[in-house]
Amino acid sequence: MSMFLHQPHLAADDLFSALRVLFPQTQPMRSTTTAGVEVVGVLVASDRVRDVWDEWRGKHGETGWWPYVSRMSPEALTSGGLLWEGVDAAVLENMVAEVVCQDHDARAASIVVSSFLGSTDPAYLAEGELEEWLDDYDPDRLAPRLSPAIAEPLPGTSRWVPEDPNTWYGRSQWWLHFVPARGGYEVPVMLPGLIRTGNGTHYLPSADDAALLRRWHEQWGAELYFASGSYLELVIDRPPLDPRSAAQAATELMGYCEDTVEDPRAAGDGMVRSTTWTLWWD
């Protein structure tokens, strides 16, 4: 038995049978990646998918399967080269071992610093430009520019899973996938290439995705809700409400996905303090 791969408490056959009973009109589907990771999925009505996701993430401790919403079926996900090629069982074991053993806070910090240094070389900035650059990238300098602390989180609205089938991404049903993982932060490692873009603007290895997602999970209760290609959405149970924490989250999000968080001040006063973080890469 693997030392590092997560072993779910509920067998895949039992999960599949339970979903067949609960969703008799939309029979579940199962598929397996080249590395042997089984993905079980079921179609859920758009107006119910958030509630069903909430219910099953609440059961994660007893099932060992993490649910997330997707636009595609398990079979479509695991075939056609959508996931990274060349990841067999041995490679996956090493990837998961790296994630389990890594200092995720230190790795997350390194990712953010590397991103900032890669965006602009401070050595080529004039003195005034350097100060403006630091105002955006240093949480201690950003925090005084944010709004005062608020008592309650801002309401978060999903951008990628709308209930209205007439909207751009709207549809009457969504796939709810189940993946054997310790938490949502581990899903990008179990399904390497799940978060990716065609033009390479998201270039991080899965272990980096996992490091940031786990840090945000522990700091602010961030949970993986939706993932499909260049689109990612997190549900935030304890969003940062005070300026210093919001500044920290805003700079980390900008380091991870500058395509979305171009203005850390706007993000720190808005999305960061809400219950939904929506990210996308151009």
Side-chain angles (χ1 to χ4, degrees):
M1 180 177 293
S2 167
M3 290 179 57
F4 296 103
L5 292 179
H6 174 67
Q7 304 299 323
H9 311 301
L10 186 67
D13 289 345
D14 294 334
L15 173 63
F16 188 80
S17 296
L19 293 174
R20 289 186 65 182
V21 172
L22 292 170
F23 299 93
Q25 302 304 317
T26 57
Q27 289 299 305
M29 177 185 295
R30 59 202 295 183
S31 188
T32 305
T33 70
T34 56
V37 176
E38 185 153 26
V39 181
V40 180
V42 66
L43 281 169
V44 181
S46 181
D47 59 356
R48 292 189 57 211
V49 68
R50 173 57 191 272
D51 291 338
V52 175
W53 176 82
D54 273 325
E55 177 185 356
W56 281 92
R57 74 152 168 162
K59 296 179 179 179
H60 174 258
E62 59 187 88
T63 69
W65 294 82
W66 186 264
Y68 78 93
V69 181
S70 175
R71 292 184 298 175
M72 61 187 66
S73 70
E75 183 176 307
L77 174 70
T78 58
S79 64
L82 291 175
L83 301 179
W84 289 346
E85 297 180 357
V87 179
D88 59 16
V91 172
L92 180 65
E93 169 76 17
N94 290 333
M95 291 170 62
V96 174
E98 180 182 1
V99 168
V100 171
C101 298
Q102 72 183 356
D103 181 337
H104 53 277
D105 282 331
R107 184 159 187 163
S110 176
I111 296 163
V112 173
V113 170
S114 297
S115 174
F116 292 158
L117 294 178
S119 65
T120 305
D121 187 343
Y124 292 97
L125 295 175
E127 182 175 349
E129 294 174 329
L130 177 60
E131 293 301 307
E132 292 179 0
W133 186 82
L134 290 172
D135 282 344
D136 282 347
Y137 290 103
D138 184 343
D140 289 326
R141 296 172 68 117
L142 175 62
R145 300 162 58 213
L146 299 184
S147 301
I150 58 178
E152 299 291 337
L154 301 175
T157 302
S158 174
R159 175 169 181 169
W160 306 128
V161 193
E163 295 181 9
D164 184 356
N166 296 315
T167 58
W168 179 40
Y169 270 103
R171 56 186 66 196
S172 60
Q173 294 177 314
W174 291 85
W175 282 98
L176 187 66
H177 289 177
F178 295 84
V179 181
R182 293 173 177 84
Y185 57 85
E186 205 175 73
V187 170
V189 182
M190 302 304 296
L191 303 176
L194 177 68
I195 305 171
R196 67 189 301 178
T197 59
N199 56 13
T201 54
H202 181 274
Y203 55 86
L204 297 176
S206 297
D208 286 356
D209 288 312
L212 284 161
L213 293 180
R214 185 171 181 185
R215 169 171 168 74
W216 297 336
H217 166 71
E218 294 178 353
Q219 288 287 317
W220 300 298
E223 303 284 21
L224 178 67
Y225 173 60
F226 175 84
S228 183
S230 58
Y231 306 106
L232 179 68
E233 204 154 67
L234 307 175
V235 168
I236 315 301
D237 291 335
R238 306 182 305 276
L241 305 182
D242 64 276
R244 180 57 180 80
S245 298
Q248 183 68 47
T251 55
E252 291 182 11
L253 282 164
M254 183 168 65
Y256 182 55
C257 185
E258 193 171 5
D259 286 353
T260 302
V261 185
E262 297 178 342
D263 183 345
R265 185 174 182 180
D269 281 339
M271 180 184 73
V272 161
R273 303 194 200 195
S274 79
T275 56
T276 303
W277 293 355
T278 296
L279 305 173
W280 66 93
W281 289 264
D282 292 332

